Amino acid sequence: APRKMRSPKLGSLALMALILLCLAAALIHAQEDDDEDVDVFGDKPKEWIRGTVEGILFQTKEDGDCKAFQVQQDDTVMIQHAGFVEASHQQFDSNGDAPFKVKIGGGTVITGMEEGMKGMCKGETRLFRFAPHVAFDDPAKSFSRKPVKPGTAVLYQITVVDMMRPHTFPWYQEVALKQVGIPGLIGLLVGLWILYEAYKSYKKSQKRGKKKAK
């Protein structure tokens, strides 16, 4: 009589799904930047709201989803941003199509951006006005080359595309990707899968041994 095909175990399917998710995330992180101009001044001007730090004003252009997280210190955020000289509206900064990654509190961007993004939600877009002392005249920051003249107030449109909170699954995934790279992460996941299958085989052989002993 023909032998019946055994359906794969739920554990194996879950592990395969995890590997595919990690591979998809790795491919997203490998996207290339492509600078492009952004027009943010088409709408009628709204009233500015004062930020939590002096020198920061903002307008909410699009609300986000605040059910999960609001940006706070030590979060890693993926943003779309564009910077303009306030007086002329001349654009001097943009990340293009690929999201730009910022750790809040990491000191990699101007103070106005780090402080202004706190409290934003995923999908939210704000237009900021940064006074010179929280932009490129900040005495606490050192710049190899300033994109604007001293004493310049700047405007930034920032959209929070995604965010990661420390010690959550996406955060651990990001840490692993940084440590071993994409090939290493794939090898690690495949190795874990092999170990899992070997463990299942060992448990089955133990059960067969006990049955024979009886």
Side-chain angles (χ1 to χ4, degrees):
R3 303 174 84 182
K4 291 184 179 180
M5 296 291 291
R6 292 185 179 180
S7 59
K9 296 291 185 181
L10 185 60
S12 298
L13 290 175
L15 195 54
M16 279 297 295
L18 179 62
I19 291 173
L20 291 174
L21 283 172
C22 290
L23 285 174
L27 289 173
I28 290 170
H29 284 294
Q31 290 179 0
E32 294 182 353
D33 291 348
D34 183 22
D35 290 342
E36 60 178 18
D37 289 344
V38 178
D39 181 17
V40 301
F41 304 106
D43 299 333
K44 292 181 180 179
K46 301 177 182 178
E47 288 188 10
W48 292 102
I49 300 170
R50 291 187 181 276
T52 55
V53 173
E54 183 185 353
I56 298 177
L57 301 173
F58 71 91
Q59 302 171 4
T60 300
K61 296 181 73 73
E62 187 172 344
D63 293 327
D65 180 9
C66 297
K67 292 178 182 177
F69 300 125
Q70 287 181 283
V71 178
Q72 65 182 33
Q73 187 75 4
D74 295 326
D75 283 350
T76 297
V77 293
M78 277 63 74
I79 64 172
Q80 295 281 2
H81 75 283
F84 306 84
V85 176
E86 183 188 32
S88 64
H89 289 182
Q90 180 182 358
Q91 185 172 338
F92 64 87
D93 188 12
S94 173
N95 65 285
D97 291 332
F100 180 62
K101 190 185 303 179
V102 180
K103 181 180 179 182
I104 305 299
T108 56
V109 294
I110 59 175
T111 300
M113 289 180 71
E114 280 198 322
E115 295 297 330
M117 284 189 288
K118 290 179 180 178
M120 289 184 69
C121 306
K122 182 177 178 179
E124 184 176 351
T125 299
R126 288 182 182 179
L127 178 64
F128 290 95
R129 181 196 183 274
F130 299 138
H133 70 276
V134 292
F136 296 97
D137 288 352
D138 188 347
K141 299 280 185 180
S142 59
F143 302 95
S144 57
R145 184 184 65 84
K146 293 186 179 183
V148 297
K149 294 178 180 179
T152 301
V154 296
L155 302 173
Y156 265 87
Q157 176 169 287
I158 299 175
T159 301
V160 175
V161 178
D162 203 354
M163 65 178 73
M164 289 188 296
R165 181 138 298 165
H167 309 299
T168 58
F169 176 74
W171 182 83
Y172 283 116
Q173 185 184 51
E174 180 74 9
V175 170
L177 189 61
K178 280 185 179 180
Q179 294 294 326
V180 299
I182 294 175
L185 183 59
I186 294 171
L188 178 63
L189 292 170
V190 171
L192 288 171
W193 188 20
I194 292 171
L195 285 173
Y196 175 72
E197 293 296 330
Y199 173 76
K200 285 200 306 182
S201 297
Y202 170 72
K203 295 297 287 184
K204 284 180 181 178
S205 64
Q206 274 193 326
K207 285 181 180 179
R208 284 196 296 264
K210 288 179 180 178
K211 286 180 181 179
K212 287 181 180 180
K214 289 179 180 181

